[in-house]
Amino acid sequence: MWQLFQFPLCPFSRKVRLLLGEKGIGYDLVRENPWERRDEFFDLNPAGQTPVIVETEKALVLMDSGAICEYFEETVEKAPMINGTAPNRAEIRRLVAWCDQQFYGDVTAPLMFERMTKRLVHRSTPDARILREAMKNAHRHLDYLDYLLDHRTWLAGATLSLADLSAAAHLSVADYLGGIDFKGHEQARRWYAGLKSRPGFRPLLSERMEGIQPPAHYDKPDF
Amino acid sequence: MWQLFQFPLCPFSRKVRLLLGEKGIGYDLVRENPWERRDEFFDLNPAGQTPVIVETEKALVLMDSGAICEYFEETVEKAPMINGTAPNRAEIRRLVAWCDQQFYGDVTAPLMFERMTKRLVHRSTPDARILREAMKNAHRHLDYLDYLLDHRTWLAGATLSLADLSAAAHLSVADYLGGIDFKGHEQARRWYAGLKSRPGFRPLLSERMEGIQPPAHYDKPDF
Ligand SMILES: N[C@@H](CCC(=O)N[C@@H](CS)C(=O)NCC(=O)O)C(=O)O
Ligand SMILES: N[C@@H](CCC(=O)N[C@@H](CS)C(=O)NCC(=O)O)C(=O)O
């Protein structure tokens, strides 16, 4: 059985979980707070980051969400998520990188720091200016999703791919933290509603991070 | 013919160039300074980042160095650089991610900002404290390379892989900017000397960024 080291609001772990869900792969969750910088966790992953996924019987320890997703894509045929011609696959991967770097850096990471890390670790209050900036960035990035969805059913083309799972992972964490307003983003809203209703997304949406409540619409299929 | 949009000290472009070199794929260089934020460049890559690689005849525009490398790995058989069993491939990819995120974030990026961006864009002087911190981080990360090379010929195992190319790309930029001291890192030094003497590395080492001189040892096979 696979064991996934993660915490409920880690977007990279959510991306992996959505992929495992689509592929029908079971796993146990192991709670890891990377900000505690446990020595034993650094022994598993020298980068000290979640997610890490472990299969003890096969003596496998995989880390970095990108490497983990490619691994399951290569070893499990069901529900291919990096699919199509080489240019299609490049488009999927560049959108995953866009989510994991641009959306994460401009939206998810500042929201996580201001509304999660400050509360749980530093016991200080969020900086309203940084929150405003992150929410402005979210609108700009949602515009980009709208633009992609004007031409495509899913973010990278005609079929569901890892690009959608990655975008939904970041969006869901940002939404949990009150940073997402879908007003004016009908394309993105419809697309996200479709993802929310997938069976693999349901368990994620029902989990809570201790001490932090999501807005009422967070886990609603209609929002 | 492929056209690569890049500037001489972009480590992600260097990773792609080292891969193209190993695979024997020709390309023209197009100079792009992402800090100028040209509208035409944002039309190519909404993330506004180098590298972007374009093949006009095939109407292909690829971006994000990870997606670009996977594309050439999938389409060109020669000199496989993400090779082996699925766990081997996961190890290569997590080390590439480690270089592109940990080494870049802790070493290459601060050196680039302090010694390149400040000079070329802000016309201000580097912050000695940040430089010292980056160089300390470089030692810590070189220790990790030494540790890997205690057990392995190349970073990810018995054969040259994209992990080596990515590490060499970042190391070479950091070295150009005076941030690398190999004293006490004999394993890493020997490994890097082997990479420096590869034909694909030579053209990179002979290029200069205007207004910034590398240290004397920078392009020497013996250093
Ligand atoms: N490239 C990594 C990034 C993972 C990452 O940034 N994880 C965060 C939590 S969401 C973390 O562990 N941060 C702690 C740290 O960087 O020290 C991946 O894709 O898995
Ligand atoms: N994930 C990207 C990162 C590329 C990147 O950070 N490029 C830098 C130059 S070394 C850049 O264009 N920075 C400008 C910016 O981020 O606005 C890749 O692997 O290609």
Side-chain angles (χ1 to χ4, degrees):
Chain A
M1 188 67 146
W2 291 97
Q3 291 192 307
L4 183 70
F5 289 72
Q6 59 91 53
F7 61 96
L9 288 182
C10 171
F12 303 97
S13 306
R14 287 187 172 216
K15 176 177 63 169
V16 169
R17 294 179 67 183
L18 290 173
L19 182 78
L20 295 175
E22 293 294 329
K23 290 189 175 290
I25 301 167
Y27 56 91
D28 288 329
L29 292 176
V30 182
R31 176 61 183 262
E32 183 69 42
N33 296 331
W35 55 87
E36 291 172 6
R37 304 181 65 81
R38 284 197 310 127
D39 286 344
E40 294 80 3
F41 187 58
F42 272 82
D43 290 345
L44 274 185
N45 181 1
Q49 297 183 322
T50 51
V52 172
I53 194 163
V54 175
E55 165 52 287
T56 319
E57 279 153 51
K58 298 192 196 139
L60 273 174
V61 182
L62 307 178
M63 63 209 82
D64 179 69
S65 66
I68 294 171
C69 290
E70 296 278 351
Y71 176 87
F72 286 106
E73 189 65 12
E74 291 180 355
T75 54
V76 181
E77 257 177 57
K78 186 180 163 187
M81 289 288 143
I82 310 175
N83 210 15
T85 63
N88 290 151
R89 294 160 62 89
E91 178 66 1
I92 294 167
R93 291 189 177 109
R94 78 106 185 158
L95 284 168
V96 171
W98 180 84
C99 296
D100 289 354
Q101 292 165 33
Q102 259 65 35
F103 196 97
Y104 176 69
D106 295 341
V107 181
T108 333
L111 285 167
M112 288 173 73
F113 187 76
E114 296 301 323
R115 290 223 164 118
M116 184 192 77
T117 318
K118 278 193 172 174
R119 174 174 228 132
L120 301 181
V121 186
H122 307 295
R123 303 195 179 272
S124 61
T125 48
D127 180 327
R129 208 188 46 79
I130 294 177
L131 287 176
R132 254 199 317 276
E133 184 68 20
M135 284 150 97
K136 225 178 72 190
N137 291 335
H139 274 298
R140 186 165 50 87
H141 289 334
L142 283 172
D143 279 341
Y144 185 56
L145 299 189
D146 290 336
Y147 158 81
L148 291 172
L149 294 165
D150 267 341
H151 310 274
R152 302 169 173 179
T153 313
W154 298 98
L155 292 182
T159 56
L160 177 73
S161 80
L162 191 59
D164 302 289
L165 305 184
S166 178
H170 287 282
L171 209 52
S172 67
V173 172
D175 193 31
Y176 189 114
L177 295 169
I180 299 295
D181 174 6
F182 279 100
K183 197 151 32 169
H185 303 287
E186 276 319 304
Q187 307 277 38
R189 185 204 296 268
R190 227 178 356 244
W191 159 87
Y192 187 52
L195 280 162
K196 264 179 142 176
S197 64
R198 296 184 84 82
F201 214 146
R202 231 75 63 64
L204 289 184
L205 293 174
S206 67
E207 284 168 29
R208 293 293 173 267
M209 187 86 192
E210 56 284 0
I212 307 175
Q213 282 305 314
H217 69 259
Y218 167 72
D219 53 6
K220 302 272 186 304
D222 227 5
F223 52 96
Chain B
M1 186 68 146
W2 291 97
Q3 292 192 305
L4 183 70
F5 288 72
Q6 57 93 52
F7 60 95
L9 289 182
C10 171
F12 303 97
S13 305
R14 287 187 172 217
K15 175 178 65 170
V16 169
R17 294 178 68 184
L18 291 173
L19 181 79
L20 295 176
E22 293 295 329
K23 291 190 174 289
I25 300 167
Y27 56 92
D28 288 329
L29 292 176
V30 182
R31 176 62 183 264
E32 183 69 43
N33 296 331
W35 54 89
E36 292 172 5
R37 304 180 66 80
R38 284 196 311 126
D39 286 343
E40 295 79 4
F41 187 59
F42 272 83
D43 290 344
L44 274 185
N45 181 0
Q49 296 183 322
T50 53
V52 172
I53 194 163
V54 175
E55 165 51 288
T56 319
E57 280 154 50
K58 297 192 197 140
L60 274 174
V61 182
L62 308 178
M63 63 210 81
D64 179 69
S65 66
I68 295 172
C69 290
E70 296 278 351
Y71 175 87
F72 286 105
E73 189 65 12
E74 290 180 356
T75 55
V76 181
E77 257 177 57
K78 186 181 164 187
M81 289 287 143
I82 309 174
N83 210 16
T85 64
N88 291 151
R89 294 161 61 89
E91 177 67 0
I92 293 168
R93 290 189 177 108
R94 78 107 185 154
L95 284 169
V96 171
W98 180 84
C99 295
D100 288 355
Q101 292 165 34
Q102 259 64 35
F103 196 96
Y104 177 68
D106 295 341
V107 181
T108 332
L111 286 167
M112 288 173 73
F113 187 77
E114 296 300 323
R115 291 224 163 118
M116 183 191 78
T117 316
K118 278 195 172 173
R119 173 174 229 135
L120 301 181
V121 186
H122 307 295
R123 306 199 177 270
S124 63
T125 48
D127 181 327
R129 207 188 45 77
I130 294 177
L131 288 177
R132 256 198 317 277
E133 185 68 21
M135 285 149 97
K136 225 177 75 192
N137 290 335
H139 275 297
R140 184 165 52 86
H141 289 334
L142 282 172
D143 280 341
Y144 184 55
L145 298 189
D146 290 335
Y147 158 81
L148 291 172
L149 294 165
D150 267 342
H151 310 273
R152 303 169 172 179
T153 312
W154 298 98
L155 291 182
T159 57
L160 178 73
S161 80
L162 191 61
D164 302 288
L165 305 184
S166 179
H170 287 281
L171 209 53
S172 68
V173 171
D175 193 29
Y176 189 113
L177 296 169
I180 300 294
D181 173 6
F182 278 100
K183 197 153 31 176
H185 304 288
E186 275 319 304
Q187 307 277 39
R189 185 204 294 268
R190 223 174 5 240
W191 159 87
Y192 188 52
L195 280 162
K196 264 180 143 175
S197 65
R198 296 184 85 82
F201 214 145
R202 231 78 61 65
L204 289 184
L205 293 175
S206 67
E207 283 167 29
R208 293 293 173 269
M209 187 84 191
E210 56 283 358
I212 307 175
Q213 283 306 315
H217 70 258
Y218 167 70
D219 54 6
K220 302 270 187 306
D222 227 6
F223 52 97

